[in-house]
Amino acid sequence: MRRLPLILTVVIAAALAGCTTDPKPGPASSAAPSTAPIDYTAWAAGRSAPVAEPIYPKYGNPAVDVLHYGLELAWVRETKVLTGQATIQLRAVAALTSIGLDFSAAYAIDAATVDGAPVTATVADGELTVPTPVAADAAVTLVVTYHGTPATVPMPSHRADSEPLGLTVTADGMLWTMQEPYGAATWYPANDMPSDKALYDIAVTAPEGWSAVASGTPKGREGNTFRYTSADPVASYLTTLAVGPLRQETAVGPHDLPITYWFRPGQADKIMEVVRRSPKYLTWLEQRFGPYPYPSAGVVLVPSESGMETQQMVTLGEKIVSDASTEALKAVELDMLHEYSHHWFGNTVTPATWTDLWLSEGFATYAQYLYNIERDNLPMAGWESWIKSRDAKLRKDIGPPGSPKADSFAESNVYTCPALMLHRIHTQLGDAAFFALARDWAQQHRGGTSSRASFIACVNQHTGKDFTSMINAWLDSPTTPA
């Protein structure tokens, strides 16, 4: 997630995940309800080990592991009604007496089935409940058809760029969404917690003359229906959707990586000058952290004041700058570098709970700082003096990064403080060993989730040194560690 420019206009998110097993992506497809047996191994890459969310316990169900979401959506601009059919392949982590997922009460349920059999589904207090028992480790296919006008939920933060979370409807009928830490459930039934990653197929029918954009790899257009596929597992907060008068441009990144840009002509022309440099940012990141982890990349510009590292399709706000000055656009460049960095640190390796948001934001912030220092030829001594002062103030005002508060989501302490910690590790290891560690973390342990413990274990194993006390001190100390 984008941070407001600080003294260096630098922020990056480095989602470090642990030394986890490397799942191999499987094919993604929308399975229609059927009485014939379904081969759930087709979605094996979507298998997760969900854990209860300690900071936002209302969201997510650790007893459910969603393997795959097949979303068929249609937006009617005049009535501001979204209709949807969600075909969800899920596994019961433990024996279930009913299936529970997060879902907005803004929608009416038109029909529901489990394995092709009609069931009663209700929505209350933000939860979809289907009273169907499921045996432990058994898999079923839930299909829910619904319609309604999207409604956002408040963001639990004091950030200057805080906006309501979830699917937003503009006055002229455009749709867009940013939804960290929760908000995916404002447009589809979701297990809205970071530890349950799944595969996705998303099809969106846009009004005539408009376009629809979603996270994942573009899979073509049929009439006015746009399709996207994610064959790599995605956390629900990293999905995106935008429907509006968007124009498409294509580009090629490193290793012939396909890149797609979507924007409203005339609304963000200066920002697009920065966005079109995406191949440069991705090349810089690849040189330090290894190959880009997905088969495509992109950016969609929406009428927001923030930005989000949504998977394979960064969601960037047109309003992140108030003018088109050189300095303002240089800050946008840092925002772009920050969000792309997340695709290595945060998207492919995701914090298992929001307690470890520093895993996502620390590395990306540090990558942004490094890019800023190199681009502007800043003196390292001056930067170190500034960030130490900033770290001390943030710990005093907000608290240490390892203990985030529920009402202070994604505030500056989980960005700057762990970035300084990573700089200390970098200083001890040197360039070669530090970037080798970062590459191995992102490249060899992709597709899963992680925690503080698994990161510490990975650092210790990789370096042959014991960084446990140092890392714990940097995450837990109310003052800047010596």
Side-chain angles (χ1 to χ4, degrees), residues 242-264:
V243 181
L246 299 164
R247 178 185 296 175
Q248 180 185 27
E249 285 187 10
T250 59
V252 178
H255 312 297
D256 296 323
L257 177 74
I259 305 175
T260 306
Y261 310 129
W262 292 94
F263 62 99
R264 295 189 296 168

Side-chain angles (χ1 to χ4, degrees), residues 290-426:
Y292 183 72
Y294 301 111
S296 69
V299 181
V300 57
L301 284 165
V302 300
S304 168
E305 296 183 0
S306 190
M308 185 63 201
E309 66 271 20
T310 41
Q311 195 155 309
Q312 296 185 247
M313 183 64 68
V314 169
T315 307
L316 188 65
E318 299 166 349
K319 302 176 183 178
I320 60 174
V321 291
S322 57
D323 61 73
S325 66
T326 298
E327 288 304 310
L329 294 179
K330 288 176 70 175
V332 176
E333 184 170 69
L334 297 179
D335 291 332
M336 285 301 310
L337 196 283
H338 178 100
E339 305 305 353
Y340 275 134
S341 299
H342 270 300
H343 291 200
W344 280 263
F345 305 106
N347 294 22
T348 189
V349 188
T350 306
T353 73
W354 293 119
T355 301
D356 289 322
L357 179 59
W358 63 270
L359 278 170
S360 293
E361 299 300 345
F363 242 116
T365 300
Y366 188 47
Q368 182 177 335
Y369 284 146
L370 292 176
Y371 182 86
N372 191 187
I373 291 165
E374 178 182 308
R375 183 194 68 182
D376 297 339
N377 195 27
L378 300 174
M380 182 61 74
W383 175 79
E384 288 180 341
S385 176
W386 169 79
I387 193 173
K388 286 168 61 178
S389 174
R390 180 68 177 165
D391 178 274
K393 179 173 174 51
L394 290 172
R395 290 175 189 271
K396 178 181 178 181
D397 293 348
I398 306 175
S403 301
K405 302 171 184 176
D407 67 347
S408 303
F409 180 78
E411 299 200 12
S412 298
N413 61 331
V414 298
Y415 291 76
T416 300
C417 302
L420 181 53
M421 176 189 76
L422 291 168
H423 181 64
R424 294 297 187 223
I425 296 174
H426 186 177

Side-chain angles (χ1 to χ4, degrees), residues 61 64 66 88 90 99-103 126-129 142 189-191:
N61 182 352
V64 170
V66 176
I88 302 170
L90 60 88
I99 300 169
L101 294 172
D102 302 299
F103 196 39
E127 183 173 355
L128 170 74
T129 302
L142 168 66
N191 203 19

Side-chain angles (χ1 to χ4, degrees), residues 9-84:
T9 54
V10 180
V11 177
I12 264 191
L16 299 175
C19 296
T20 58
T21 304
D22 180 5
K24 303 302 180 185
S29 64
S30 295
S34 171
T35 56
I38 296 175
D39 180 10
Y40 286 91
T41 61
W43 302 288
R47 187 180 176 105
S48 304
V51 296
E53 171 52 47
I55 297 182
Y56 305 109
K58 177 182 175 181
Y59 291 91
N61 182 352
V64 170
D65 171 20
V66 176
L67 306 174
H68 171 259
Y69 295 92
L71 305 178
E72 299 279 343
L73 309 171
W75 174 242
V76 180
R77 177 187 177 190
E78 293 77 14
T79 59
K80 293 183 171 56
V81 170
L82 179 72
T83 59

Side-chain angles (χ1 to χ4, degrees), residues 118-174:
V119 294
T120 300
T122 58
V123 180
D125 194 27
E127 183 173 355
L128 170 74
T129 302
V130 180
T132 299
V134 185
D137 207 39
V140 298
T141 296
L142 168 66
V143 180
V144 181
T145 305
Y146 56 94
H147 74 278
T149 299
T152 57
V153 295
M155 182 176 181
S157 182
H158 306 102
R159 290 172 50 139
D161 63 344
S162 291
E163 297 171 318
L165 297 173
L167 197 56
T168 301
V169 184
T170 66
D172 62 353
M174 184 177 175

